[in-house]
Amino acid sequence: MSKRILVTGGAGFLGSHLCERLLADGHEVLCVDNFFTGTKRNVAHLMGNSHFEVMRHDVTFPLYVEVDQIYNLACPASPVHYQHDPVQTLKTSVHGAINMLGLAKRVGATILQASTSEVYGDPEEHPQTESYWGKVNPIGIRSCYDEGKRCAETLFFDYHRQHGVDIKVVRIFNTYGPRMHPDDGRVVSNFIVQALRGEDITLYGDGMQTRSFCFVSDLIEGLVAMMNSPAGITGPINLGNPIELTMVQLAQEVIRLTGSRSQLKHMPLPQDDPKQRRPAISLASTQLNWAPRVDVEQGLAQTISYFKQLFAKDV
C-alpha cells in the first residue's frame, strides 16, 4: 500500500538513495533538507516525479506535515562537516529528534532514527553488539556527533515508553557509494579522490586501525526492512558489513582499482579516532532477514566510477 513518507536529510548521500528506493516502491516522498551537506544535485533526477517533493527546512525547527512514516537521517555525518559547527550538529541531533518525534506522536507515524556506530566510541568490545554501552568521550572534538546521536536514541526510547510512539532505531556503520561528497573527509571518498588526482593517500597513525564498509544499496535495504518490521522490533539494530579492513588494506585496494601511482603518507592520529570498528549483525539477520551482499571490490569499483564521472563534469 502506498504511503506518504518523510525523509529528513533527504538530499544527502544516504537520503537521496533512500528517496529513490521509496519512489521505486510506489510511495509519495517528502524530502526535507537544509542543504548544509546535502545537495540538490543528488535528487535532481527525481524532480520530475509527481510523487516527489523537496522542502528546504532545518529540523531544529518544528515541522507540520501529514505523513505515515518518518526516516530521520538529518545530521552531518563526517568529522569535517560535524566539527565545522559542533553546536549546530548537537542541535540537529537533539532538537531534530524532539521535533520529529513530536511530529510522529501527533500524526501517529512510525519513525526511524538513523543512529551511528559512533555511539560505541572507541570500543573495548569487538565486534560491537547492540547490548554494548560504548566508551565515549563526552567532551572531545567528536562528542557533538557521538553524544548527540546517543541523546537522540535516549529520546526515541523515552517517547516510545512514555507516549507509545512507534520507533525504529538503527546504528549505521561506515557506508560508502555514489553521491558521497568528495570533500567530506570520510576515508573512502578521501582515498578515491586522492588516488584519482595522483596525490599521496593520507593515512592517520600507522594505518592499522580497522573499519567495516557497507555499500549504500545494502544499507538502504536494511533501513527499509527495519521500517517495515513488526511493531515489537524497536532496535537498536546494527546495520553494516562485518568484513573488517585496515586502512592500509583499503588504501592499497583503492590504488589497485584506480591504477593510481599514489604513495601512502602517514599523519598523526586525530583525537578520539576509534582503533577498530566492526558490527555484530546477528540481530539484523534474525529480525530483519538482512545481510550485506555487495563485496568491497564491487562497491569500490562503482564508487570510483561515480567520482570519475563527477570530476569529468567539473573539467
Side-chain angles (χ1 to χ4, degrees), residues 72-89:
N72 188 36
L73 274 59
C75 190
S78 72
V80 168
H81 290 143
Y82 67 64
Q83 291 172 15
H84 171 73
D85 188 345
V87 172
Q88 184 63 25
T89 296

Side-chain angles (χ1 to χ4, degrees), residues 157-177:
F157 279 90
D158 283 339
Y159 265 78
H160 174 64
R161 287 185 287 255
Q162 189 172 339
H163 300 298
V165 174
D166 187 11
I167 66 163
K168 310 284 181 181
V169 176
V170 296
R171 291 174 176 165
I172 298 173
F173 283 67
N174 291 63
T175 305
Y176 69 102

Side-chain angles (χ1 to χ4, degrees), residues 5-25 27 29 31 42-43 46 52 69-73 112 114 179 216-217 219-225 227-228:
I5 302 176
L6 166 62
V7 180
T8 72
F13 163 49
L14 293 182
S16 62
H17 284 278
L18 177 59
C19 288
E20 196 172 63
R21 165 62 192 276
L22 295 173
L23 288 169
D25 288 346
H27 300 296
V29 176
C31 165
N42 286 342
V43 292
L46 305 176
F52 183 67
Q69 293 180 343
I70 302 167
Y71 288 85
N72 188 36
L73 274 59
L112 180 146
R179 298 185 205 143
V216 61
S217 62
L219 192 279
I220 297 304
E221 290 297 319
L223 293 180
V224 172
M227 175 61 87
N228 297 305

